[in-house]
């Protein structure tokens, strides 16, 4: 059975002398593993389409539950990522997060759209990398079923908490005076950073990055978003550590 689909290459592993084993996020099949035979050979017609972080149209053959790429054409290579080591490191982090939080064989077009939009923004330097990173992390967590409750203080119910604090353990906000060890709200926000976090979660997908913050506020959002993702996934990401080294 042949199948043609659009997909982003989240991970590639060399197999044997000239093959690639790929983890891809497709538009209509979710996350799957496919083999690209001969993709590393000189002159291979599938080399560009099956390279890491390429967004491609792939035609695949399924046999006994395994998929093999037979044809491929590149839709977007995000060329700006290839000339900036920090941009490539951040894009690699996005791919690693997406692979970790996407489901096998479960289509999620919104998650695919998220990583494509953010890779485009990094590649074309539309916003500072820290800005894009924070937005990606928060929105990804929401799409993966970990949407934080940012509507009001979890204790007093105030819609605009006084000196707001965020809990990466519980995904809640509270006023500074309402906070205690039970809630784990140990990340101090400000009014602007809280509004930005709300915007990231609820804005239309195409406008998610279209917010503006001062340096202090974006640092608060960035700290909260990263802590939330790492706490909820209970893991570390080597690509994140590398981005911090090279940025």
């Amino acid at each position: 059975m042949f199948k043609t689909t659009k997909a982003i290459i989240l991970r590639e592993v060399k197999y044997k002398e000239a093959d690639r084993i790929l983890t891809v996020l497709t538009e209509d099949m979710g996350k799957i593993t496919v083999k690209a035979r001969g993709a590393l050979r000189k002159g291979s017609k599938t080399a560009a389409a099956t390279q890491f972080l390429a967004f491609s149209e792939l035609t695949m053959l399924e046999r006994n539950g395994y998929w093999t790429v037979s044809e491929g054409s590149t839709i977007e290579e995000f060329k700006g990522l290839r000339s900036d080591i920090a941009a490539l490191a951040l894009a690699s982090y996005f791919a690693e997060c997406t692979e970790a939080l996407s489901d096998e064989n479960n289509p999620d077009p919104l998650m695919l759209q998220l990583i494509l939009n953010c890779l485009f923004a990094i590649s074309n330097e539309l916003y500072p990398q820290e800005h894009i990173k924070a937005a990606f992390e928060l929105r990804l967590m929401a799409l993966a079923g970990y949407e934080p409750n940012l509507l009001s203080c979890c204790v007093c119910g105030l819609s605009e908490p006084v000196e707001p604090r965020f809990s990466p353990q519980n995904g809640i906000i509270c006023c500074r005076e309402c906070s205690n060890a039970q809630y784990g709200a140990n990340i101090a926000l400000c009014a602007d950073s809280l509004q930005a976090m709300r915007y990231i979660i609820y804005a239309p997908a195409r406008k998610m990055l279209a917010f503006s913050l001062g340096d202090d506020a974006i640092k608060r959002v960035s700290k909260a978003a990263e802590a939330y993702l790492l706490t909820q996934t209970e893991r570390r990401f080597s690509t994140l550590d590398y981005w911090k080294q090279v940025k």
Side-chain angles (χ1 to χ4, degrees):
M1 179 182 74
F2 283 95
K3 170 75 176 179
T4 299
T5 187
K6 295 176 182 177
I8 180 79
I9 313 302
L10 298 178
R11 181 157 60 102
E12 64 165 296
V13 177
K14 181 179 178 180
Y15 180 69
K16 295 185 177 179
E17 291 186 1
D19 299 347
R20 283 172 170 155
I21 301 297
L22 309 174
T23 302
V24 304
L25 184 65
T26 70
E27 63 176 353
D28 56 357
M29 301 167 65
K31 180 176 65 178
I32 60 173
T33 300
V34 302
K35 179 186 287 188
R37 287 181 175 155
L40 296 174
R41 289 198 182 100
K42 186 176 180 180
S44 169
K45 294 182 180 180
T46 62
T50 58
Q51 67 179 324
F52 180 51
L53 295 176
F55 180 51
S56 305
E57 183 173 83
L58 303 176
T59 297
M60 305 177 296
L61 173 65
E62 188 269 333
R63 284 181 179 170
N64 300 319
Y66 296 96
W67 292 96
T68 301
V69 176
S70 58
E71 296 179 24
S73 59
T74 305
I75 300 171
E76 177 60 65
E77 293 185 54
F78 305 107
K79 291 184 178 180
L81 303 178
R82 318 292 171 176
S83 58
D84 182 337
I85 190 170
L88 180 58
L90 185 58
S92 300
Y93 170 57
F94 289 178
E96 189 178 9
C97 289
T98 301
E99 181 181 0
L101 289 162
S102 55
D103 295 327
E104 296 276 356
N105 303 309
N106 183 24
D108 193 335
L110 292 178
M111 193 174 289
L112 177 62
Q113 183 182 26
L114 173 65
I115 189 171
L116 291 177
N117 288 348
C118 289
L119 293 182
F120 182 84
I122 302 171
S123 180
N124 291 278
E125 301 181 349
L126 299 184
Y127 300 93
Q129 290 184 9
E130 192 171 36
H131 177 119
I132 302 169
K133 171 180 170 290
F136 173 84
E137 289 167 330
L138 271 180
R139 189 70 166 227
L140 179 66
M141 293 302 287
L143 292 177
Y146 299 89
E147 182 177 313
N149 183 354
L150 305 176
L151 297 179
S152 61
C153 173
C154 66
V155 180
C156 71
L158 196 63
S159 60
E160 299 301 331
V162 179
E163 298 184 64
R165 302 179 74 85
F166 176 69
S167 168
Q169 291 84 11
N170 299 297
I172 55 171
I173 55 171
C174 59
C175 303
R176 180 180 178 183
E177 291 298 320
C178 295
S179 177
N180 60 42
Q182 173 186 350
Y183 301 109
N186 55 7
I187 296 181
L189 301 176
C190 61
D192 288 346
S193 55
L194 176 56
Q195 289 302 321
M197 290 174 69
R198 288 169 171 168
Y199 179 84
I200 291 166
I201 296 294
Y202 302 116
R206 290 186 176 276
K207 297 182 178 180
M208 181 200 68
L209 294 170
F211 61 92
S212 179
L213 285 177
D215 290 344
D216 178 69
I218 192 60
K219 288 183 184 301
R220 293 175 188 271
V221 175
S222 181
K223 182 178 180 180
E226 180 181 308
Y228 188 55
L229 186 148
L230 296 180
T231 300
Q232 296 299 318
T233 57
E234 298 183 321
R235 59 170 289 176
R236 303 295 301 180
F237 294 86
S238 60
T239 47
L240 174 60
D241 296 333
Y242 184 63
W243 175 73
K244 290 181 177 180
Q245 292 176 17
V246 300
K247 73 183 177 72

